[in-house]
Each structure stands twice: as C-alpha cells, then as structure tokens.
Amino acid sequence: MHEGYTESIRQLMLHLEWSTLGLLFGMMLLVGELSHTGIFEWCAVRLLVASKGSFVRLLILLCTLTAVASAFLDNVTTMLLVAPVTIDMCNILEVDPRPYLIGEVILSNIGG
C-alpha cells in the first residue's frame, strides 16, 4: 500500500524474485520425484544404522548432514531435501520429528 492506494498486480509482479521462485519450484519437483525412488528411505536406514540406536547420535548425524549440505546448497533447498528423510526416520522410530526438524533448521541457517 502506497499513500492509501494498492499497487496493481503488474507492479507487484515486478518485485518478485523469479529466480528464487524458480529454484524453489524446481527443488520441490525434484524432491517429489525422488520420493518415488525410495532414496529418502535408503538415507534414513543408513543414518539409523550409523546412529546405533541412540537418539542423540541420530540428532547429531542429521544436524551435521544438514549443516554440510547447507554449505553447498541454499537453506530452503537443504531443508526440502533433508526434511523428508527426517520425517520418514521418525515415523519408523515412532518419535516426534519436531525436535529433529528444529535442530536441522537452526544448523541449516548456521551452515549456510
């Protein structure tokens, strides 16, 4: 709103970051298609085996993976790739994924 008037749709479209929207859309498509291949389940099983049944060790592994991935990828892209692994893993273990996701978001911001 500028001086009591709303901007037209055409003006609003000029302010959008189309490259960012394109990247996010592309990554969502990629994650959606990769989920059909079972790659996220494979990653979840590998991390579960590496954690040796320790929830703390699992949290550390997931957060380390997120921080390293964020060093090379955008934070949102990293979370789009890591969150499905975390949610699948927590569903297998029947634990709440929220603490793991919060830790990943924090380390994604630190790593990126």
Side-chain angles (χ1 to χ4, degrees):
M1 197 172 203
H2 184 59
E3 296 179 8
Y5 297 101
T6 59
E7 292 189 36
S8 68
I9 295 294
R10 182 169 288 165
Q11 286 292 346
L12 290 175
M13 298 295 268
L14 293 174
H15 298 292
L16 291 177
E17 289 285 335
W18 290 104
S19 58
T20 303
L21 290 174
L23 173 72
L24 292 176
F25 180 72
M27 290 309 297
M28 286 182 198
L29 285 176
L30 182 66
V31 168
E33 289 302 312
L34 282 176
S35 67
H36 296 297
T37 66
I39 188 76
F40 297 128
E41 289 84 3
W42 179 81
C43 287
V45 168
R46 300 293 291 178
L47 286 173
L48 283 172
V49 169
S51 71
K52 299 176 184 168
S54 169
F55 290 124
V56 174
R57 192 175 295 147
L58 180 62
L59 179 65
I60 292 169
L61 287 171
L62 283 170
C63 289
T64 303
L65 171 70
T66 304
V68 170
S70 286
F72 300 103
L73 299 171
D74 182 61
N75 296 349
V76 175
T77 304
T78 301
M79 287 309 300
L80 283 173
L81 294 172
V82 175
V85 174
T86 303
I87 292 169
D88 286 343
M89 199 173 332
C90 289
N91 287 339
I92 291 169
L93 297 172
E94 297 178 356
V95 296
D96 185 16
R98 288 179 288 188
Y100 295 95
L101 291 171
I102 290 170
E104 290 169 1
V105 167
I106 291 169
L107 280 161
S108 176
N109 284 325
I110 292 171

